[in-house]
Amino acid sequence: MAERRLRVLMAKIGLDGHDRGVKVVARALRDAGFEVIYTGLHRTSEEVAEAAVQEDVELIGVSILSGAHMALIPPLLEHLRAHQADDIRVLVGGVIPEKDRPKLVDLGVAAVFDQDSTIAEIVGWIGREFGLPASASPSTAG
Amino acid sequence: MRTVDIDFANRRQLARLITQVENDPEAAAAIVRAVWPRTGQARRIGITGPPGSGKSTVVDQIIERARAEGARVAVIAVDPSSPFSGGAILGDRVRMLRHSGDADVFIRSMAARSAVGGLAAATRDAAHLLDAFEFDVILLETVGVGQSELDVMRAADTVVVITVPGLGDSIQMLKAGVLEIADLLVVNKADRPGADETAMHLREMLRMAPPSPGAVGAVGAVSPASAVARSTSQDVERAPVSAVEWSTSQDVERAPASAVAGGHLSQAWNVAWEIPVLKTVATDGTGIDALWQTIRRHREFLRESGQLGARRRQRVEREVLEKVEQALAAHLRSRLAGQPGLGEILARARAGDLDPHSAARAILDHLLKG
């Protein structure tokens, strides 16, 4: 009777006020059968790390369109380590220049998706990463 | 029997234990057994109301008032799951983010999953955990409810029902259901047109409730004799014999278990507590001080009247019986799966040769013989 559902926290960190993309992804993850905690706009990395701990998520999806990812992601990873929660994987999405992707991965980000990524790619990656059955596929195409 | 080793100062472990009670009934049993002796101190306050009525914002304000008094505060905020994918978007936390960074506030979002009563199946177990982790106030926020999601009254000491202006006329308020379980009624968004009217309708509804309890109670549809027969431990618990003479735990113990499981709810529950109708504007804090003070006053009322203990004893009794029912149902389902005659009966029902009642009866007969 046990029922495990992947818990994912979706967050916007920093000053950018565009939340359409993150909402579309949140909705798609819901349709893929995940439990998605949405924390809204203008969060700090400390807030996100703390919410992730309280919500016991396995994955944090951060959307950054402002170009400030190299300034905002390291503190998030740092706060997760401070909470002894660096086993929580971090996925970054948004406008991320090619040259920054390996840097983010080196810092400890699990995956980077850009504005050209499809919902199916994101859900597919999550499914593989967390060993979920293939049936957990989105009902909406990206 | 599994044993559980718990560090009651570790928030990460608390969060993980909540996930376990959500996902795994056997783990839940071991965890609740481990923490049970530490429970019973927290004030459990239920917040319910229709979608968009401002529950999360009211919760946010209550957190602030309770923190100002030094209480450690936990929240379980339930949102619905998709009936199709089973997934959920849990967004209540957005309204409460200013408490981030406060080590004495713990907020947990929870998907309702298959539960339909306004809370998740694991909400009570999670509340037991938070209680054991020494949170003084536990706020249980339901999904946005319609008229009949009543789980919260079986999980909370005090139930706050929130409504907003413009949802319906006085006829809506006459209908039975969620308004009846309120210990406090709140008209939120009271800066909108129609708030006074809504509050007035609610007060009228309350005045129309039978002034006195007990024997007559809420059983208008049945004869006096069957009213007595149907009397449940809830009635005993909720209805004072007179305004001053409160029933005791012995009454609960004498009440037959079957009556509790199928029991209706008497309006006499609140007989010596006049249900207040409060107006708030949660977004700017208007009326919240009065709301918090009234919640505190209700707590005092429960304590002084003896109802706090009575409600809790009744709650535990109900929780036990529900668990027995769930286990029985699961057991029966697994036995049914292996029944050779079952397919045939179902096929006849599908073909229309057998009505649903008769088919169910036939399956039961089959099971009870076997």
Side-chain angles (χ1 to χ4, degrees):
Chain A
M1 256 183 58
E3 182 192 8
R4 170 180 179 254
R5 293 218 166 252
L6 187 74
R7 289 173 70 83
V8 183
L9 185 133
M10 297 292 292
K12 294 282 299 181
I13 304 182
L15 291 176
D16 100 65
H18 303 278
D19 61 353
R20 186 160 182 283
V22 72
K23 283 178 174 165
V24 168
V25 175
R27 168 76 197 262
L29 297 186
R30 184 202 79 177
D31 291 342
F34 306 146
E35 291 179 350
V36 182
I37 294 98
Y38 180 62
T39 60
L41 289 166
H42 309 313
R43 303 278 73 93
T44 67
S45 45
E46 166 75 84
E47 284 171 352
V48 171
E50 199 190 307
V53 167
Q54 292 180 18
E55 298 289 358
D56 191 30
V57 296
E58 293 177 73
L59 175 68
I60 300 172
V62 184
S63 160
I64 301 176
L65 300 169
S66 63
H69 45 275
M70 295 312 291
L72 296 172
I73 294 299
L76 170 63
L77 300 171
E78 194 49 52
H79 286 302
L80 286 174
R81 275 191 289 275
H83 284 290
Q84 277 140 30
D86 46 342
D87 55 308
I88 299 175
R89 271 165 279 190
V90 177
L91 182 160
V92 177
V95 185
I96 314 290
E98 195 70 48
K99 66 175 173 58
D100 289 340
R101 292 178 199 181
K103 291 184 202 161
L104 287 171
V105 171
D106 282 346
L107 286 167
V109 168
V112 179
F113 290 93
D114 64 19
Q115 65 272 36
D116 297 326
S117 306
T118 65
I119 295 294
E121 282 167 10
I122 297 172
V123 172
W125 178 85
I126 295 173
R128 286 190 302 279
E129 190 74 6
F130 291 91
L132 303 173
S135 61
S137 63
S139 57
T140 52
Chain B
M1 263 197 202
R2 277 199 243 184
T3 56
V4 188
D5 196 18
I6 299 174
D7 169 7
F8 287 96
N10 185 333
R11 287 157 76 85
R12 183 107 210 262
Q13 190 181 16
L14 168 60
R16 291 189 153 164
L17 289 169
I18 293 174
T19 308
Q20 286 179 43
V21 300
E22 275 193 281
N23 289 350
D24 181 351
E26 275 183 44
I31 291 164
V32 172
R33 185 169 55 240
V35 304
W36 191 252
R38 293 174 61 98
T39 63
Q41 298 307 310
R43 289 179 263 173
R44 301 186 188 196
I45 301 164
I47 311 286
T48 192
S53 54
K55 294 180 293 297
S56 300
T57 311
V58 169
V59 165
D60 171 70
Q61 294 281 7
I62 293 177
I63 296 172
E64 192 190 38
R65 298 308 188 281
R67 287 294 298 128
E69 294 174 4
R72 302 183 73 227
V73 186
V75 177
I76 304 171
V78 186
D79 265 330
S81 295
S82 161
F84 302 109
S85 73
I89 292 186
L90 312 174
D92 293 328
R93 210 186 166 86
V94 177
R95 319 276 176 216
M96 309 171 197
L97 277 156
R98 63 176 164 150
H99 305 289
S100 182
D102 184 341
D104 291 317
V105 175
F106 189 96
I107 299 165
R108 178 63 175 241
S109 313
M110 192 175 271
R113 300 196 175 173
S114 54
V116 293
L119 297 176
T123 304
R124 272 190 306 213
D125 284 346
H128 297 328
L129 262 171
L130 293 163
D131 191 342
F133 271 73
E134 294 176 3
F135 286 93
D136 305 303
V137 172
I138 300 173
L139 298 164
L140 306 172
E141 180 186 335
T142 71
V143 303
V145 303
Q147 294 172 321
S148 56
E149 294 91 337
L150 308 178
D151 276 357
V152 68
M153 68 172 293
R154 289 159 203 146
D157 304 320
T158 297
V159 175
V160 179
V161 176
I162 300 178
T163 186
V164 287
L167 278 186
D169 58 14
S170 54
I171 303 298
Q172 295 301 327
M173 292 171 192
L174 277 175
K175 293 183 183 174
V178 77
L179 287 176
E180 286 183 289
I181 67 170
D183 297 304
L184 282 75
L185 281 166
V186 173
V187 180
N188 190 36
K189 307 191 184 181
D191 51 345
R192 291 195 177 175
D196 288 332
E197 213 181 338
T198 301
M200 189 187 75
H201 284 318
L202 289 170
R203 290 196 183 99
E204 266 170 25
M205 173 201 80
L206 293 171
R207 271 199 298 276
M208 276 188 274
S212 113
V216 209
V219 278
V222 293
S223 70
S226 56
V228 173
R230 279 183 62 192
S231 163
T232 69
S233 79
Q234 278 147 354
D235 296 319
V236 177
E237 284 288 330
R238 294 180 171 206
V241 177
S242 75
V244 283
E245 189 183 328
W246 298 95
S247 60
T248 66
S249 65
Q250 281 131 20
D251 296 317
V252 186
E253 282 149 23
R254 270 191 261 119
S258 61
V260 177
H264 65 284
L265 308 168
S266 167
Q267 287 177 339
W269 174 275
N270 271 313
V271 74
W273 167 258
E274 194 170 330
I275 300 164
V277 178
L278 301 161
K279 288 191 291 179
T280 59
V281 183
T283 46
D284 68 10
T286 303
I288 298 293
D289 283 330
L291 170 59
W292 176 242
Q293 289 312 319
T294 312
I295 290 171
R296 291 180 47 126
R297 199 157 57 76
H298 185 250
R299 167 77 176 191
E300 289 312 308
F301 159 76
L302 287 176
R303 202 200 299 275
E304 283 163 18
S305 65
Q307 280 206 44
L308 186 61
R311 280 190 181 194
R312 289 183 166 185
R313 285 188 295 274
Q314 177 198 325
R315 220 160 59 201
V316 167
E317 181 176 319
R318 204 175 239 289
E319 196 174 339
V320 172
L321 292 172
E322 276 173 28
K323 295 222 181 303
V324 171
E325 284 172 12
Q326 283 160 8
L328 267 179
H331 174 70
L332 278 179
R333 265 196 300 275
S334 69
R335 274 194 59 192
L336 264 178
Q339 286 290 319
L342 175 68
E344 193 200 325
I345 297 168
L346 282 177
R348 287 179 59 203
R350 279 196 301 269
D353 298 337
L354 211 54
D355 69 277
H357 287 279
S358 307
R361 183 83 260 167
I363 289 171
L364 276 175
D365 287 346
H366 202 79
L367 263 182
L368 297 175
K369 256 186 281 158

